[in-house]
Amino acid sequence: MNNLNVTGQANSISAKMINQQPINQMDIIVKDYTFRISSLEEKVNTIETDVSTIKSNYLTLGAFYRSGLLALIVLVGGAWALYSHTDNKYESRFSSVEQKFATIDQRFEKIDDRFQSINEKIHSIDIRLTKVEEKIDNIDDKLDILIQQKQAKN
């Protein structure tokens, strides 16, 4: 079995074979072991390189929170700037609208004053017409009296 040299004596092994067999087998085992260790070391180095590349490409938790906080600050600042700009814009528009309403209100007051003066004039004309009607009634009454007197004389 296994390169054993059996000589004339039963189960005797030559010293030369005993000495050579373990050394050759040991060399093979050591070479295989060193090859496996070196290939394993290469794989570990490759994995370490990949992991360091991945770490450098992705955010750490602290960097993630810092960038999130920075984004939140920028968003709040942008919203505040937009709000203040919009607030000023709407305030100026409302101010101009209020000025227009004030102008329209002043015009209505002037129109109301004009209507009041026209109403007073119409009232004075009505009073004059009433007086003229009274005078015409008086003249009509006098004419009727005169017509009756003339008919009575005839």
Side-chain angles (χ1 to χ4, degrees), residues 101-119:
F101 277 124
T103 304
I104 290 171
D105 194 33
Q106 289 174 353
R107 289 181 181 171
F108 278 140
E109 287 177 6
K110 288 180 182 177
I111 290 172
D112 192 37
D113 290 343
R114 287 181 186 169
F115 279 142
Q116 187 67 27
S117 66
I118 289 172
N119 198 11

Short mmCIF file of all heavy atoms in Angstrom, two decimals, residues 101-119:
data_model
loop_
_atom_site.label_atom_id
_atom_site.label_comp_id
_atom_site.label_asym_id
_atom_site.label_seq_id
_atom_site.Cartn_x
_atom_site.Cartn_y
_atom_site.Cartn_z
N PHE A 101 -59.67 101.58 -4.07
CA PHE A 101 -60.95 101.64 -3.38
C PHE A 101 -61.16 103.00 -2.70
O PHE A 101 -62.28 103.52 -2.69
CB PHE A 101 -61.08 100.52 -2.35
CG PHE A 101 -61.52 99.21 -2.93
CD1 PHE A 101 -60.76 98.07 -2.75
CD2 PHE A 101 -62.70 99.12 -3.65
CE1 PHE A 101 -61.17 96.86 -3.27
CE2 PHE A 101 -63.12 97.91 -4.18
CZ PHE A 101 -62.35 96.77 -3.99
N ALA A 102 -60.09 103.57 -2.15
CA ALA A 102 -60.20 104.90 -1.54
C ALA A 102 -60.56 105.94 -2.60
O ALA A 102 -61.41 106.81 -2.36
CB ALA A 102 -58.90 105.27 -0.84
N THR A 103 -59.94 105.84 -3.78
CA THR A 103 -60.25 106.76 -4.88
C THR A 103 -61.70 106.59 -5.31
O THR A 103 -62.42 107.59 -5.52
CB THR A 103 -59.31 106.49 -6.08
OG1 THR A 103 -57.96 106.59 -5.64
CG2 THR A 103 -59.55 107.47 -7.20
N ILE A 104 -62.14 105.35 -5.45
CA ILE A 104 -63.54 105.09 -5.85
C ILE A 104 -64.49 105.61 -4.77
O ILE A 104 -65.54 106.21 -5.09
CB ILE A 104 -63.74 103.58 -6.11
CG1 ILE A 104 -63.00 103.17 -7.37
CG2 ILE A 104 -65.22 103.24 -6.22
CD1 ILE A 104 -62.95 101.67 -7.62
N ASP A 105 -64.14 105.42 -3.50
CA ASP A 105 -64.97 105.93 -2.41
C ASP A 105 -65.07 107.45 -2.45
O ASP A 105 -66.15 108.02 -2.24
CB ASP A 105 -64.40 105.45 -1.07
CG ASP A 105 -65.36 105.62 0.08
OD1 ASP A 105 -66.58 105.50 -0.17
OD2 ASP A 105 -64.91 105.85 1.22
N GLN A 106 -63.96 108.13 -2.72
CA GLN A 106 -63.99 109.59 -2.85
C GLN A 106 -64.88 110.00 -4.02
O GLN A 106 -65.64 110.97 -3.91
CB GLN A 106 -62.57 110.13 -3.07
CG GLN A 106 -61.70 110.06 -1.85
CD GLN A 106 -60.26 110.47 -2.14
OE1 GLN A 106 -59.90 110.68 -3.28
NE2 GLN A 106 -59.45 110.54 -1.10
N ARG A 107 -64.80 109.28 -5.12
CA ARG A 107 -65.66 109.60 -6.27
C ARG A 107 -67.13 109.40 -5.93
O ARG A 107 -67.98 110.20 -6.32
CB ARG A 107 -65.28 108.75 -7.47
CG ARG A 107 -63.96 109.14 -8.08
CD ARG A 107 -63.62 108.30 -9.28
NE ARG A 107 -62.33 108.68 -9.85
CZ ARG A 107 -61.71 108.01 -10.80
NH1 ARG A 107 -62.26 106.91 -11.30
NH2 ARG A 107 -60.55 108.40 -11.25
N PHE A 108 -67.44 108.33 -5.18
CA PHE A 108 -68.83 108.11 -4.76
C PHE A 108 -69.30 109.25 -3.85
O PHE A 108 -70.45 109.68 -3.94
CB PHE A 108 -68.98 106.77 -4.04
CG PHE A 108 -69.13 105.59 -4.96
CD1 PHE A 108 -68.50 104.40 -4.65
CD2 PHE A 108 -69.89 105.66 -6.11
CE1 PHE A 108 -68.63 103.30 -5.49
CE2 PHE A 108 -70.03 104.57 -6.95
CZ PHE A 108 -69.40 103.39 -6.64
N GLU A 109 -68.42 109.71 -2.97
CA GLU A 109 -68.79 110.84 -2.10
C GLU A 109 -69.08 112.08 -2.93
O GLU A 109 -70.05 112.81 -2.67
CB GLU A 109 -67.69 111.12 -1.09
CG GLU A 109 -67.59 110.09 0.01
CD GLU A 109 -66.44 110.34 0.97
OE1 GLU A 109 -65.78 111.40 0.85
OE2 GLU A 109 -66.20 109.48 1.82
N LYS A 110 -68.26 112.34 -3.96
CA LYS A 110 -68.50 113.49 -4.84
C LYS A 110 -69.81 113.31 -5.59
O LYS A 110 -70.59 114.27 -5.73
CB LYS A 110 -67.34 113.65 -5.84
CG LYS A 110 -66.07 114.16 -5.20
CD LYS A 110 -64.96 114.29 -6.23
CE LYS A 110 -63.66 114.75 -5.58
NZ LYS A 110 -62.56 114.83 -6.55
N ILE A 111 -70.06 112.10 -6.08
CA ILE A 111 -71.32 111.84 -6.79
C ILE A 111 -72.50 112.01 -5.84
O ILE A 111 -73.53 112.59 -6.21
CB ILE A 111 -71.30 110.43 -7.42
CG1 ILE A 111 -70.32 110.39 -8.59
CG2 ILE A 111 -72.69 110.02 -7.89
CD1 ILE A 111 -70.08 109.01 -9.16
N ASP A 112 -72.34 111.53 -4.59
CA ASP A 112 -73.40 111.69 -3.60
C ASP A 112 -73.66 113.17 -3.32
O ASP A 112 -74.83 113.60 -3.21
CB ASP A 112 -73.02 110.95 -2.32
CG ASP A 112 -74.18 110.82 -1.36
OD1 ASP A 112 -75.32 110.62 -1.83
OD2 ASP A 112 -73.94 110.89 -0.13
N ASP A 113 -72.58 113.98 -3.22
CA ASP A 113 -72.74 115.41 -3.02
C ASP A 113 -73.47 116.04 -4.21
O ASP A 113 -74.35 116.90 -4.04
CB ASP A 113 -71.38 116.09 -2.82
CG ASP A 113 -70.75 115.73 -1.48
OD1 ASP A 113 -71.48 115.24 -0.59
OD2 ASP A 113 -69.52 115.92 -1.33
N ARG A 114 -73.10 115.61 -5.41
CA ARG A 114 -73.77 116.14 -6.61
C ARG A 114 -75.25 115.76 -6.61
O ARG A 114 -76.11 116.60 -6.93
CB ARG A 114 -73.10 115.61 -7.87
CG ARG A 114 -71.76 116.21 -8.15
CD ARG A 114 -71.16 115.65 -9.42
NE ARG A 114 -69.80 116.12 -9.62
CZ ARG A 114 -68.98 115.64 -10.52
NH1 ARG A 114 -69.36 114.65 -11.31
NH2 ARG A 114 -67.76 116.13 -10.65
N PHE A 115 -75.54 114.49 -6.26
CA PHE A 115 -76.95 114.08 -6.20
C PHE A 115 -77.70 114.90 -5.15
O PHE A 115 -78.85 115.26 -5.35
CB PHE A 115 -77.07 112.59 -5.89
CG PHE A 115 -76.88 111.69 -7.07
CD1 PHE A 115 -76.22 110.48 -6.92
CD2 PHE A 115 -77.40 112.01 -8.32
CE1 PHE A 115 -76.05 109.63 -8.00
CE2 PHE A 115 -77.23 111.17 -9.41
CZ PHE A 115 -76.55 109.97 -9.25
N GLN A 116 -77.05 115.17 -4.05
CA GLN A 116 -77.69 115.97 -3.00
C GLN A 116 -77.99 117.38 -3.51
O GLN A 116 -79.09 117.89 -3.28
CB GLN A 116 -76.77 116.03 -1.76
CG GLN A 116 -77.38 116.70 -0.56
CD GLN A 116 -78.52 115.87 0.00
OE1 GLN A 116 -78.56 114.67 -0.15
NE2 GLN A 116 -79.46 116.54 0.64
N SER A 117 -77.02 117.99 -4.20
CA SER A 117 -77.27 119.35 -4.73
C SER A 117 -78.34 119.33 -5.82
O SER A 117 -79.20 120.23 -5.88
CB SER A 117 -75.97 119.97 -5.26
OG SER A 117 -75.51 119.25 -6.38
N ILE A 118 -78.34 118.26 -6.65
CA ILE A 118 -79.38 118.13 -7.68
C ILE A 118 -80.74 117.93 -7.01
O ILE A 118 -81.75 118.52 -7.43
CB ILE A 118 -79.05 116.96 -8.65
CG1 ILE A 118 -77.86 117.33 -9.53
CG2 ILE A 118 -80.26 116.61 -9.50
CD1 ILE A 118 -77.33 116.20 -10.38
N ASN A 119 -80.76 117.14 -5.94
CA ASN A 119 -82.01 116.91 -5.21
C ASN A 119 -82.53 118.22 -4.61
O ASN A 119 -83.74 118.49 -4.64
CB ASN A 119 -81.78 115.86 -4.12
CG ASN A 119 -83.07 115.25 -3.62
OD1 ASN A 119 -84.11 115.46 -4.21
ND2 ASN A 119 -82.97 114.51 -2.54
#
